[in-house]
Amino acid sequence: MQQAMSTVEGKKQEKRRALLDAAYELFLERGTSKTSVEDITSRAKVGKGTFYLYFADKGSVTQALLARVSYQLLDNACAAAEQHAAELTSFPDQMIFVIDHIIEALRADTLMLRFLERSFVWPGLDQIEASGEAEPLMRKVLQTVMCSPEMAGRTEREIYQRITALGSMCISVCYTSVLEGKPDNIDNMKPILYDIIRRAL
């Protein structure tokens, strides 16, 4: 019985993943506005009714993908920071390393950057808002932040707000600098961004 339920749940997750993968491919190829639900289900090889079992509309798929892409970027950046932990002796150094890693990943994949636009989604925001519980990756990030001397005396909520604001600012600057060269190219903007981060922390 348990195994049967596990198999059913696994198939559900496969279908949801197939829909997300198909939507992401199409959004990168055509853009979100030029992709229909029918395009997504056709690419995923599922019926239109199946789509609505998992998502209310195209907007909810977009939000799920923004969350997935953001999570992967942050997870990869945190893993890289852990590999360089010996060199990153202060919290501002760690924060700047993580943001720089994300910016470089987006510079290397401008289609992903165009998809994200300025909408980086921090993992588990809804959970923190609703219950005070953090998603595992965000819990690890918050733990690192809260242990830093720069954040002493601040509540978890204040820290989350500060990190979110700084991260959102960096993603926005990355978008305009990499794709439009405004107000300058990203290499010239990085020192300014990182100086702002150090001052804000």
Side-chain angles (χ1 to χ4, degrees):
M1 178 78 169
Q2 186 68 32
Q3 189 174 357
M5 286 175 65
S6 176
T7 304
V8 169
E9 189 57 37
K11 286 185 177 175
K12 281 184 178 178
Q13 288 304 315
E14 276 178 36
K15 284 183 181 175
R16 185 177 189 277
R17 192 163 37 248
L19 285 163
L20 283 171
D21 290 344
Y24 189 55
E25 288 169 10
L26 288 162
F27 290 168
L28 293 184
E29 287 169 19
R30 307 177 184 179
T32 309
S33 61
K34 293 180 182 172
T35 300
S36 67
V37 169
E38 289 83 357
D39 294 331
I40 295 168
T41 55
S42 175
R43 176 74 61 97
K45 296 181 173 60
V46 299
K48 194 172 174 185
T50 302
F51 176 92
Y52 292 106
L53 290 174
Y54 301 96
F55 303 104
D57 51 29
K58 191 172 73 173
S60 63
V61 174
T62 304
Q63 284 307 305
L65 282 171
L66 287 170
R68 185 167 87 167
V69 169
S70 299
Y71 183 97
Q72 198 58 59
L73 284 166
L74 184 60
D75 193 38
N76 291 347
C78 288
E82 285 175 7
Q83 290 174 351
H84 292 268
E87 307 152 37
L88 305 172
T89 54
S90 71
F91 173 63
D93 288 343
Q94 293 168 349
M95 178 84 173
I96 288 166
F97 182 94
V98 166
I99 287 175
D100 190 73
H101 195 279
I102 291 170
I103 287 173
E104 286 305 314
L106 292 171
R107 187 202 320 229
D109 190 342
T110 54
L111 284 176
M112 183 190 296
L113 179 56
R114 284 183 194 283
F115 171 68
L116 271 180
E117 287 193 15
R118 296 166 182 83
S119 302
F120 189 86
V121 178
W122 291 86
L125 175 60
D126 293 344
Q127 287 174 285
I128 290 174
E129 293 283 354
S131 66
E133 288 295 315
E135 186 279 336
L137 175 60
M138 205 64 218
R139 191 178 308 126
K140 185 165 72 173
V141 170
L142 285 172
Q143 185 62 36
T144 302
V145 176
M146 292 190 80
C147 291
S148 70
E150 293 83 0
M151 295 291 117
R154 292 197 172 101
T155 66
E156 187 172 292
R157 183 80 188 126
E158 288 170 333
I159 290 169
Y160 189 84
Q161 289 168 335
R162 189 168 291 251
I163 299 302
T164 302
L166 288 172
S168 298
M169 174 193 68
C170 291
I171 293 297
S172 183
V173 170
C174 176
Y175 182 85
T176 54
S177 296
V178 170
L179 296 179
E180 301 165 7
K182 295 176 184 175
D184 204 336
N185 67 60
I186 192 63
D187 289 317
N188 290 337
M189 289 305 297
K190 276 184 181 185
I192 297 162
L193 272 179
Y194 301 160
D195 180 56
I196 291 169
I197 290 169
R198 287 187 188 282
R199 290 168 187 271
L201 295 176

